[in-house]
Amino acid sequence: MRARLSDIAQQAEVSEATVSRVLNDRPGVAPETRQAVLTALDVLGYERPARLRKRSAGLVGLVVPELDNPIFPAFAQVIESTLAQSGFTPVLCTQTAGGVTEDEYVEMLLDRQVSGIVFVSGLHADTAASHDRYRALIARPLPVVMINGYVPGIGAPFVSCDDREAAELAVAHLVALGHRRIGLITGPDRFVPVQRKVTGWRAAMTRLAGVAEVDLGPLAELTLFGVEGGKAAAGRLLDRSVTGLVCGSDLMALGAIRAARQRGLRVPEDLSVVGYDDSPLIAFTDPPLTTVRQPVTAMAVAAVRALVDEINGHAAPHSEYLFRPELVVRGSTAVAPAGAHVGAGTSNPHRPGTSALVIPA
């Protein structure tokens, strides 16, 4: 028990004696300190003593994509702990390829009479999907909140990272390092976050890099999300002599680095790579990845607060809350190689010096 007390005390930033007083429900502990200890119990996965358990305010569904991408477990962890602090019991529903679908999970959650549902990067982000499913939930009525993906006309709160600004931050960073042939790697264009990243990249490339709009097409590769998609797309862009890459996720960026190394290129000396998300452990890759950070904690807390307000009858504004991303500069970006021809043989028509791109003096 002593080791556990020490873990809880460290998490709550209090003494072990204080933890002991809270666990034994003794007086003399400030309410905010008591709550910090209880929150530490929840975060660390310890069960609260029976005397400290308050009656559950109900179940809340949390529907997330696969957990292979570490950004989704990061969202799930914050959402679950924040729900627990509000007295709700989270029910995690994880989608996998060929497994239970989002609609099937929703039916299961409705059978369990959940008080609300949080959707993270679900079908609401897919412009090719029918969004009547969400209108039906709201008409029940069932409170819902959606993260990263916006559907106009849906009466629910939406919480998103500003994907357009994220792409612009990445391009601005690379332009400041002297790069002009900056490629974009991201997912299928039917997804709202992808569309916004493309828009931001195109705007920054024309405004900051001086590239003509008509010349941007060959510099963008829309592919499958994940390491393999990033690797394949990077190979194609390296054939077009890019010196910098803006990627739609950290996993795609890792795939791009793998593609560069298989060609004998060095990152960042020959190719600079920027990711997106700032997933857990991404600072410890080789090289440490420069990326654009999603404010996961702020977004998740805002989503839960909006949902709890809805559940309690205090309707949150039915609009989109945009959160600002943050550029995190690490070791995968550097000054553009001077006069270097990156990626292809001498017969490549896109190499510097013969490119049709308009580069300002």
Side-chain angles (χ1 to χ4, degrees):
M1 183 64 182
R2 181 146 189 97
R4 293 176 59 182
L5 278 178
S6 116
D7 291 342
I8 298 165
Q10 183 178 6
Q11 178 70 29
E13 298 182 348
V14 298
S15 69
E16 292 183 29
T18 298
V19 174
S20 179
R21 284 197 293 272
V22 172
L23 295 182
N24 289 290
D25 203 20
R26 291 176 183 163
V29 180
E32 58 272 18
T33 302
R34 183 179 299 273
Q35 185 57 51
V37 172
L38 295 177
T39 299
L41 282 172
D42 297 333
V43 170
L44 294 172
Y46 294 143
E47 187 175 356
R48 294 188 184 189
R51 67 174 70 88
L52 300 179
R53 294 178 203 156
K54 57 183 177 181
R55 191 175 68 84
S56 172
L59 303 176
V60 168
L62 171 55
V63 182
V64 300
E66 40 75 28
L67 298 181
D68 291 341
N69 186 335
I71 197 63
F72 296 128
F75 269 112
Q77 181 177 17
V78 179
I79 292 170
E80 288 182 329
S81 63
T82 309
L83 282 170
Q85 291 173 37
S86 299
F88 290 92
T89 302
V91 180
L92 179 62
C93 302
T94 305
Q95 301 176 66
T96 56
V100 180
T101 66
E102 179 179 309
D103 290 337
E104 290 169 337
Y105 271 131
V106 167
E107 287 301 318
M108 295 178 191
L109 293 171
L110 293 177
D111 288 343
R112 286 159 177 76
Q113 299 182 326
V114 294
S115 300
I117 303 177
V118 179
F119 294 93
V120 180
S121 299
L123 292 173
H124 63 280
D126 189 343
T127 60
S130 170
H131 298 131
D132 289 341
R133 51 176 53 87
Y134 303 114
R135 295 185 179 92
L137 288 175
I138 293 167
R140 289 183 67 93
L142 182 75
V144 298
V145 173
M146 301 175 216
I147 296 177
N148 281 339
Y150 178 63
V151 184
I154 296 290
F158 291 83
V159 174
S160 302
C161 186
D162 191 336
D163 293 283
R164 173 171 178 147
E165 183 176 355
E168 291 182 349
L169 283 172
V171 171
H173 172 61
L174 292 175
V175 168
L177 293 172
H179 297 271
R180 292 299 181 270
R181 290 194 64 79
I182 302 169
L184 174 69
I185 297 174
T186 189
D189 63 0
R190 69 178 190 271
F191 295 107
V192 173
V194 170
Q195 295 173 358
R196 291 176 172 180
K197 284 187 179 73
V198 171
T199 299
W201 172 78
R202 296 181 76 92
M205 287 293 287
T206 54
R207 186 179 74 254
L208 302 177
V211 180
E213 182 75 27
V214 295
D215 294 321
L216 289 175
L219 296 178
E221 283 288 337
L222 305 185
T223 182
L224 298 176
F225 286 112
V227 173
E228 294 306 321
K231 177 184 173 184
R236 294 188 290 270
L237 289 172
L238 286 171
D239 286 338
R240 299 165 198 159
S241 305
V242 298
T243 63
L245 287 174
V246 173
C247 300
S249 74
D250 291 336
L251 294 185
M252 289 181 136
L254 295 181
I257 292 173
R258 180 181 295 177
R261 285 179 169 165
Q262 287 182 351
R263 294 181 176 221
L265 300 176
R266 300 165 300 165
V267 176
E269 292 85 356
D270 300 317
L271 178 72
S272 288
V273 179
V274 182
Y276 175 76
D277 281 335
D278 196 27
S279 312
L281 301 180
I282 209 66
F284 305 101
T285 57
D286 179 25
L289 187 66
T290 295
T291 188
V292 180
R293 174 184 295 157
Q294 284 200 72
V296 170
T297 298
M299 292 170 63
V301 169
V304 171
R305 287 178 178 170
L307 185 73
V308 171
D309 284 347
E310 293 269 324
I311 292 171
N312 292 332
H314 310 298
H318 295 162
S319 58
E320 184 178 28
Y321 301 85
L322 280 179
F323 285 73
R324 295 190 64 181
E326 177 188 359
L327 178 69
V328 182
V329 179
R330 298 193 180 105
S332 66
T333 51
V335 174
H341 169 42
V342 179
T346 56
S347 62
N348 191 314
H350 296 289
R351 66 185 177 194
T354 61
S355 173
L357 296 184
V358 180
I359 307 298

